[in-house]
Amino acid sequence: MVGTTPGTPRVLRAMNDRAALDLLLEHGPLSRTKIGKLTGLSKPTASQLLARLEAAGLVVATGTVAGRPGPNAQLYAVNARAAHVAGLDVNAHRIVAAVADVTGETVGEFEVRTPRRRADSVVRQVADALDGAVKDAGLTRADVHRVVIGTPGAFDPGTGRLRYAAHLPGWHSPTLLDELAAFLPMPVEYENDVNLVAVAEQRLGAARGHDDFVLLWNEEGLGAAVVIGGRLHRGFTGGAGEVGFLPVPGVPLVRQVTQANSGGFQELAGAQVLPRLARELGIDDELTRATGTHHEVAAGLIARAAAAAEQGEDGPYARLLDLFATGLATGLASMVAVLDPELVVLCGELLASGGEPLRARVQGELAELAASRPRLITGDVTHRPVLRGALESALAITRDEVFDTSHTTPTGT
């Protein structure tokens, strides 16, 4: 068996092929001349490259564009059907699955509700969600190259058990990963849900161009993602970023945190504390008496507090926003002291509801509590960010596999 080494014609062709495919993903349909200019290849070499990619089923001719006098230029685009991936976003109430083609466009989506009384196994729930999304995309399960599943907590690499997510029923069996691997025909990977939000923000959102940042998430629970040198830092057991368990001043110590599924930072600035804080400040409205989920009620309260702040009001709602900002900055200060990030991205329903008034208050409080001064920004990926991150994670690996032409027979010379 003869291998290839860097610098051989086959490897150089493969590098040029991948560069052209990445340009087509970034810019959309391009002509041969434009591809040549962007890659620095001659017209004959660019033509040979496109012929190879078209023969491999990786690009398709999509039309023409009129230019200078002469024949219209043929346009080429990545063949969207060259590969498909799936992502799943799992929480205690539902599983949302989506399928994307190799260009990143979502072509199918499906949601399965998972109430605690439901008797279906996790394997069946995952299969139902995936099959629903695949059907919505007009595909079959065999068409999916890879699946990434996002859950709260993390699967311990040593035991295969899900940790830090006691509230997720049915996902703690030591044989679950083996059962899912036996049931699904494609490679399946698992990632913490907040880490996947960071993937989405790094590839598509507010953290683009940043290799070192912290993402703080506040919705059903408080969590963080840590990106160092462009890579997610997961820790020894996958627990890096489980900042809801972080002991902080302002609340009593929480002991046996994994059993309580809570910790100091969660008790100080989590969704469940905001209705109580509102009542203590004298706020008495339908939200403080609502019976909805903690994060929905809390998001409503913070949205009203932010609106009051924008109007210059100085009342209980403004005080609620101040207390919430101080709680968030208290936990962030401990993270900043250890990690010294350039950037902190604020995400999740509660932080998004607070908008600029909340961001500015947290930034101001953090300047008083932390020695360094990271820049705080709000996240840009607001529609199903966990799901988008799962798709982006699956796409990154799948493109590396599908776009690798180093093992194919070249067309042309």
Side-chain angles (χ1 to χ4, degrees), residues 152-156 159 161-166 171-172 236-237 242 258:
F155 286 94
D156 189 307
T159 66
R161 284 181 176 270
L162 183 66
R163 303 187 65 184
Y164 318 113
W171 282 80
H172 299 88
F236 179 64
T237 65
E242 294 292 341
T258 55

Side-chain angles (χ1 to χ4, degrees), residues 4 10-11 14 403-408:
T4 59
R10 175 168 290 188
V11 170
F403 289 173
D404 182 3
T405 60
S406 62
H407 304 295
T408 61

Side-chain angles (χ1 to χ4, degrees), residues 17-84:
D17 291 348
R18 180 58 191 266
L21 289 165
D22 287 342
L23 286 169
L24 289 170
L25 287 173
E26 180 181 359
H27 297 285
L30 296 172
S31 67
R32 179 201 63 181
T33 301
K34 188 65 173 178
I35 289 173
K37 288 181 179 179
L38 291 172
T39 58
L41 299 175
S42 66
K43 289 184 179 180
T45 303
S47 295
Q48 293 166 6
L49 177 152
L50 288 168
R52 283 196 304 274
L53 296 179
E54 193 168 17
L58 297 177
V59 302
V60 291
T62 60
T64 59
V65 61
R68 295 177 179 178
N72 291 344
Q74 178 70 60
L75 293 176
Y76 295 88
V78 171
N79 180 7
R81 298 187 64 84
H84 291 86

Side-chain angles (χ1 to χ4, degrees), residues 207-364:
R208 289 187 73 175
H210 293 275
D211 288 335
D212 297 272
F213 67 94
V214 168
L215 181 141
L216 183 69
W217 174 267
N218 199 346
E219 198 161 290
E220 290 187 71
L222 255 171
V226 179
V227 177
I228 302 172
R231 299 174 64 89
L232 284 164
H233 176 68
R234 297 177 176 86
F236 179 64
T237 65
E242 294 292 341
V243 296
F245 299 132
L246 186 71
V248 294
V251 292
L253 283 175
V254 178
R255 301 186 183 275
Q256 302 297 324
V257 293
T258 55
Q259 294 180 21
N261 202 43
S262 187
F265 197 12
Q266 182 68 41
E267 295 299 316
L268 182 67
Q272 78 279 9
V273 306
L274 282 162
R276 175 180 57 78
L277 284 177
R279 289 190 294 269
E280 290 175 356
L281 291 168
I283 297 172
D284 183 20
D285 57 23
E286 73 279 7
L287 283 175
T288 59
R289 300 186 298 272
T291 58
T293 63
H294 287 312
H295 73 275
E296 292 171 340
V297 173
L301 287 167
I302 292 302
R304 290 188 180 182
E310 287 182 324
Q311 295 170 12
E313 297 180 12
D314 185 18
Y317 272 116
R319 180 60 180 152
L320 178 65
L321 194 66
D322 289 341
L323 287 173
F324 186 48
T326 299
L328 291 168
T330 300
L332 274 173
S334 295
M335 299 164 61
V336 168
V338 175
L339 298 169
D340 190 21
E342 172 196 2
L343 187 71
V344 176
V345 184
L346 304 177
C347 296
E349 189 174 5
L350 269 69
L351 301 178
S353 297
E356 176 57 20
L358 177 61
R359 188 212 65 79
R361 281 165 169 76
V362 176
Q363 182 83 73

Side-chain angles (χ1 to χ4, degrees), residues 86-88 90 145-151 155 171 177 180-181 184 186-192 196 234 389-390 392-398 401:
L88 277 73
V90 178
H145 283 65
R146 183 175 298 272
V147 174
V148 172
I149 299 177
T151 69
F155 286 94
W171 282 80
L177 299 189
L180 286 167
L184 298 175
M186 73 292 290
V188 183
E189 296 182 3
Y190 304 87
E191 183 60 89
N192 172 262
L196 290 176
R234 297 177 176 86
E392 290 298 320
S393 182
L395 282 166
I397 300 173
T398 299
E401 296 170 347

Side-chain angles (χ1 to χ4, degrees), residues 196-208 215 217 219 345-349 352 377-392:
L196 290 176
V197 178
V199 170
E201 290 291 346
Q202 187 178 31
R203 293 178 66 90
L204 304 171
R208 289 187 73 175
L215 181 141
W217 174 267
E219 198 161 290
V345 184
L346 304 177
C347 296
E349 189 174 5
I377 58 175
T378 54
D380 288 340
V381 183
T382 57
H383 179 68
R384 297 200 188 281
V386 176
L387 192 60
R388 188 68 247 174
L391 291 172
E392 290 298 320

